[in-house]
Every structure is written in structure tokens, then in C-alpha cells.
Amino acid sequence: MRPTQLWNRSKLRYLLSVPVFIIVLLNIELISQIKDFNTLNSEKNAGLKSPNVSQIIQNKNLTDIESNFNSSQKTQSLLNKITKLNAELSIKNKHLIEDILQDELQTQNIPKKTINDGSKANNIYKMPKFFVILIQVHSRLNYLKELINSLKETKYIEQALLVFSHDIYNEEMNTLINSIDFCATLQIFYPHSLQLYPDTFPGKDSKDCSRSINKAKALEIGCNNAAFPDTYGNYRESQVVQIKHHWFWKLAFIFDRLNETKHLDNLHVLILEEDHYLLPDSIHVLQKLSEKILSDIDVVSLAVFERSKQNLDMKNLKKYSKAYWHSSKHNTGLMLSRTQWKMIKDCSNAFCTYDDYNWDWTLQYISQTCFKLPLVAIYPVSSRVIHMGECGTHHKGSNCDPKKKIESLRETLEEKKNDLFSEKFSLNSVNTGILAIKKSNGGWGDPRDHNLCKSFIETDLNSNNTIFIEM
């Protein structure tokens, strides 16, 4: 081996050993400092013990209990607030309807039927000047804003009492509604909502059976409603059944409990939802088509659907049709009179126990099986109430903004505005075929839901207070 190579290797080993030696010294110093620091902390914390695992779990449980307690307190506070609001109702802008309300009370005993020339019956069940627009509201503020905008532009809106029935208490929605100045308004709150009962019936009790659990398994584990699946073997879903409960409750409230309306024999109620949109002549058409009503079973629907598609036929704005009322065709913009409400109440046992979570399919069922004769729909060939909703319980669209749809509708209406507000409507067709219900949609097999539903008309109907049901 050459001397030069040997020197180079020795030099290399020396150079490598220097940083390693320095690193070792630094590590020794660092370890020494850490020991000193730990010793100091031990002296400061003398007598204190580190929490063990069981203590950590116990603390977490206490935190959870405190959180649940605070949540329960907030829910109870909201429940008390809503009870008070429903008991101390105040109609905003009431002065707009006071005169027509008084006129309606004074004409209670006018006969429904008048005879002209001894043979011809005219205007048998024409709706009165005053009526109620009852809107079921959930949580879609953007749709509600557009509905209110359309109501503001609807002629004769000042003759109506606009009632918003909520299943969620939301300050932003309340503020929006309180800003309405073009008609009389009232807000009521469904008192058995999921917001008020988040973890107990009518909400989702933790001991309730999961929707799709097998009945045998449900009976084995002993969940609350194990013995009561629906027609298809599924168990109740609280967010789904709430809609039917709310629909029935709000009608009972307006027809039988609200002081300003419970004594009106000829009360008419137009039923809407937060994702509806009214054309400017909607109320005008409602009044005109009510003149076509010939019996107790006739109802006006301001919209029609064919094969799940809404009919907006601008060429036939001055025509109307008649057919047996069908849930999937005539459920939008439905107007009910006190006469029809009494028919529904008389069939309340069937309504509250029929295994279908949809109010409209249930209404069709009792119409065909409990009423003396099925309901007949009188409706405009071109819809006057437009269903805008793309997102909700039954609709899972990706576009939840109604603005584009409304802009397109406005452009179409601008072209046809001279054809609105027709004084005469001609009969387009009469469909005498009846679409019988072959089976229910299920979702309504739990007897707790049956009993809650029945309670809405079994309570003291002369009371303006909401009565809560002990379950």
C-alpha cells in the first residue's frame, strides 16, 4: 500500500470522528438538562398525581353529561317559548282584514244555494272574499324568500290572512316574515317537532328500532317499536312522518282553534309549501274557479301534474278541467273549505292509521274509501302555483337555487301577461276515470304516530292553546 493512500484514509477517519464526538457531547448535555428540568417540575408538583385512564374517561363522561344537560335546557326553553307563542297569537297587519272579517261574520247565514228563473243553480259554493293562505315551512330560506316575493305580486293578497306554520324555530325566517307589510300575517309553530324532541318520540328515540332492521332481530333486542313495522317491514323515520303530522295539526289549528277563524262557517284555506311560487293571477283564478264548484266534494287545485311533470301551458291560460282528485296530480295549491275539513275529521281514524307517511296519498285513500263520494278537482289547465323545489325530503337535486327557474318563468309570463286575469274560463275536459289506490307507501305503522295524529282533533278544540301529549 502506498504511504499517500494510508495518510488519506487516516485523515478521513479523523475528520469523521470529530463531528461524531461533538454530537455525543451535545447529546450528553441535552440529557442532563432534561433530567434537571424534570426534577424541578417534580418538586413543583410534589403531591400531585398524573390522571390515570379511568379518571380521563370519568372526566369525559362528566363533560358529556354537562353538555347533554345544557342541550336539554335549551330544548326545554325553546319548547316553553313556542308554547307561549302559540298561546299568545298576534296577527300582524290585522287592520287590512278587519272589515272583510266582520262582513264575513255578518253573512254567516246566507244560503249556499240560490235559484235563478226557478231552474238554474248559480254560485253554489263560491269562496268568500276573506280566506286563509296556510304555508307549511321547514328550513329552506331561499325558497321561502321567493314565495314571499311572488305573494307580494299576487293581486288581492290583501284580502287573505297569510299563516306560516313552522316545524323549526329560526330567527332569520321569523325576521323575514315579520318584514311583510302587504297583507295580514301570523306565525304558528308545530309543537311536536324534531327540533323540540330531538332524542325522544316524536323525534328519534335512541331505543327505537332502526329503519331496516329485521323484525325478528328487533324483537330479540327489544327496541321500542319492535312489534310495529310498516307494510314493508320497515320502522318509522321521524323526519319523514313529521310532515304528515304537521299537515294535519296546522289544519286543525286554523279551522278549530284560531279565534279569528274557528267561527267562520264558510272558511276556505289555500294550502301551500315553502317551495311554491304563485303567478300574479293565482287568487283571481281561485275565485273564478270556485264559482264552478257544484257540491261538497268539489275542491279547487291551482296546479296540475301529468306524468310527474307540472303542466304550464301558456296557450290555455283561460281554460279549466275537472277530474277525480288524485294525489300526484292535484296536491299543489289545494284549497279546502270547512265542509271538506269536517269530512276529513269524520274520517280521522282512517287518516291517522292508514299506513302511508304522505298526507296527500292518505287524503286520496280516505276520499275513495271513507267519504260518501270521492273528491273532484277543479283546476286550471295551466298551473297557477308552481312547485320550485329541487331539494327537500322527496327531491335530491343538485341545484338548490330557484332563481334561474324563476327568471325563466318571469320571462315567459311577461310574454303572456295580457292573457292573465281572464274573466271567463271555458271547460277544457272532464275526466271521469278514477285512479284507485292499490297499496300504501308505508312508513306509518307505529301506533304512537296513530295516537299523536288523532290527538290533534281530540283535544279541546275551543281552546286557543296548544295541548301537549304525554307519550
Side-chain angles (χ1 to χ4, degrees), residues 194-403:
L194 305 187
Q195 186 184 35
L196 299 176
Y197 296 89
D199 50 16
T200 186
F201 183 87
K204 176 66 174 177
D205 193 308
S206 60
K207 295 181 181 179
D208 280 353
C209 305
S210 58
R211 178 187 180 275
S212 302
I213 189 174
N214 179 273
K215 183 178 179 180
K217 182 66 176 177
L219 290 169
E220 180 185 335
I221 66 174
C223 46
N224 282 340
N225 47 335
F228 305 105
D230 68 5
T231 302
Y232 305 97
N234 298 317
Y235 291 94
R236 77 185 295 269
E237 294 180 274
S238 55
Q239 73 275 17
V240 171
V241 300
Q242 175 176 264
I243 299 171
K244 180 175 172 178
H245 280 308
H246 187 181
W247 187 88
F248 197 49
W249 174 85
K250 74 178 191 281
L251 285 173
F253 199 101
I254 298 304
F255 277 108
D256 297 329
R257 299 187 186 186
L258 182 62
N259 284 333
E260 286 78 4
T261 55
K262 67 183 181 183
H263 298 302
L264 296 179
D265 294 340
N266 197 27
L267 178 63
H268 284 62
V269 177
L270 174 64
I271 304 169
L272 300 176
E273 296 179 15
E274 65 185 17
D275 60 350
H276 290 170
Y277 187 92
L278 275 67
L279 270 60
D281 68 341
S282 295
I283 296 176
H284 171 81
V285 173
L286 194 65
Q287 293 168 339
K288 290 297 179 182
L289 293 190
S290 75
E291 297 173 5
K292 313 295 182 183
I293 294 176
L294 301 176
S295 73
D296 289 343
I297 61 171
D298 290 345
V299 294
V300 176
S301 291
L302 284 178
V304 60
F305 289 77
E306 297 290 346
R307 297 178 181 177
S308 300
K309 185 177 181 181
Q310 186 157 22
N311 193 352
L312 188 61
D313 185 356
M314 291 299 178
K315 295 180 181 179
N316 289 304
L317 287 169
K318 302 178 182 180
K319 293 183 178 182
Y320 75 98
S321 292
K322 297 183 71 172
Y324 283 111
W325 191 87
H326 190 271
S327 60
S328 63
K329 292 177 177 288
H330 313 117
N331 66 349
T332 300
L334 171 65
M335 182 172 72
L336 295 175
S337 68
R338 184 173 292 281
T339 300
Q340 282 111 31
W341 170 240
K342 185 179 183 303
M343 291 162 60
I344 294 172
K345 284 206 302 181
D346 288 344
C347 294
S348 61
N349 185 65
F351 184 92
C352 290
T353 58
Y354 181 61
D355 187 15
D356 199 310
Y357 67 91
N358 300 286
W359 68 263
D360 47 354
W361 284 97
T362 305
L363 179 59
Q364 183 180 340
Y365 170 77
I366 64 172
S367 167
Q368 294 180 2
T369 62
C370 188
F371 294 174
K372 291 181 179 179
L373 291 170
L375 292 176
V376 173
I378 301 172
Y379 57 91
V381 172
S382 185
S383 298
R384 292 318 202 270
V385 174
I386 310 302
H387 181 241
M388 306 300 296
E390 298 293 340
C391 302
T393 301
H394 302 291
H395 302 274
K396 305 297 181 183
S398 57
N399 180 18
C400 298
D401 187 355
K403 289 188 179 298

Side-chain angles (χ1 to χ4, degrees), residues 92-93 95-96 152 176-185:
K92 190 172 179 291
N93 302 321
H95 64 280
L96 295 174
K152 185 176 183 179
L176 171 66
I177 293 167
N178 284 330
S179 70
I180 295 174
D181 59 4
F182 53 82
C183 69
T185 61

Side-chain angles (χ1 to χ4, degrees), residues 34 87 406:
I34 290 173
I406 291 172

Side-chain angles (χ1 to χ4, degrees), residues 244-245 248 348 351-353 444 448-458:
K244 180 175 172 178
H245 280 308
F248 197 49
S348 61
F351 184 92
C352 290
T353 58
W444 194 268
R448 294 176 298 175
D449 287 315
H450 303 168
N451 293 334
L452 178 61
C453 177
K454 292 176 187 177
S455 74
F456 298 152
I457 61 168
E458 290 173 353

